[in-house]
Amino acid sequence: MNEEKQTNSKNKKILVFIIIAIVAISTSATIGFTYFYWIAEDGSNEGPIELVLTSTYSALSPVETYDLINSSEQVIIIDVRSRCPCNWDTEHIGLEDNFRALKRTEPEFSEFFNETSDIIICDNGGTTAIEWCEGLVNHTYGKICLITGGFDSWKNNGLPTLSPEE
């Protein structure tokens, strides 16, 4: 009986030790995570960057669009001209490789849900860009814009374009 009490006592001590170790590790991990979570990338202690869903979209002139592309860290340009890949195969908006330019023949809005990049929709100046913008509202975090006048307006303003062979 005395041996049984000693075994129970040892088991209780081991259990208490394990519980204390788990609590200590959990506390350390929580403090460490919280510390790194609250420190911004630039080293300031301003708190976390809170992402907010984009609730609206903007129509930008080609020049305003060009400025946005050049000032944004990440841009996705979606070319939806007449929903025909033939438009993309002839000529498209051309800039540096700081963005992803994509052609789309059918709306695939969900592919861009939860994006943090700015999204620019390029069409023929019709309603296709509006359809895309409305499909992305409240599902993405970056700016959502369309180019007023579409691709032809972009070209008419003398902004850079690329042909597929370039």
Side-chain angles (χ1 to χ4, degrees), residues 73-90:
E73 290 182 25
Q74 294 182 319
V75 178
I76 300 170
I77 297 178
I78 306 171
D79 189 334
V80 295
R81 288 179 281 159
S82 298
R83 294 187 179 152
C84 175
C86 59
N87 289 313
W88 175 267
D89 294 337
T90 56

Side-chain angles (χ1 to χ4, degrees), residues 79-88 104-106 122-129 132 151-152:
D79 189 334
V80 295
R81 288 179 281 159
S82 298
R83 294 187 179 152
C84 175
C86 59
N87 289 313
W88 175 267
R104 290 292 181 260
T105 56
E106 292 299 323
C122 176
D123 69 357
N124 290 335
T127 60
T128 307
W132 268 83
F151 182 76
D152 288 338

Side-chain angles (χ1 to χ4, degrees), residues 57-72 74-80 88 93 95 99-104 112 117-123 129 132-133 136 140 142-148 150 154:
Y57 61 92
S58 303
L60 300 178
S61 72
V63 174
E64 291 171 323
T65 304
Y66 182 77
D67 291 342
L68 173 63
I69 292 169
N70 287 319
S71 66
S72 183
Q74 294 182 319
V75 178
I76 300 170
I77 297 178
I78 306 171
D79 189 334
V80 295
W88 175 267
I93 291 175
L95 295 168
F99 66 92
R100 294 184 282 163
L102 307 165
K103 63 179 174 178
R104 290 292 181 260
F112 301 98
S117 300
D118 295 332
I119 298 176
I120 298 170
I121 312 296
C122 176
D123 69 357
W132 268 83
C133 289
L136 293 171
T140 187
K143 294 177 182 140
I144 303 171
C145 306
L146 62 91
I147 302 172
T148 56
W154 176 273

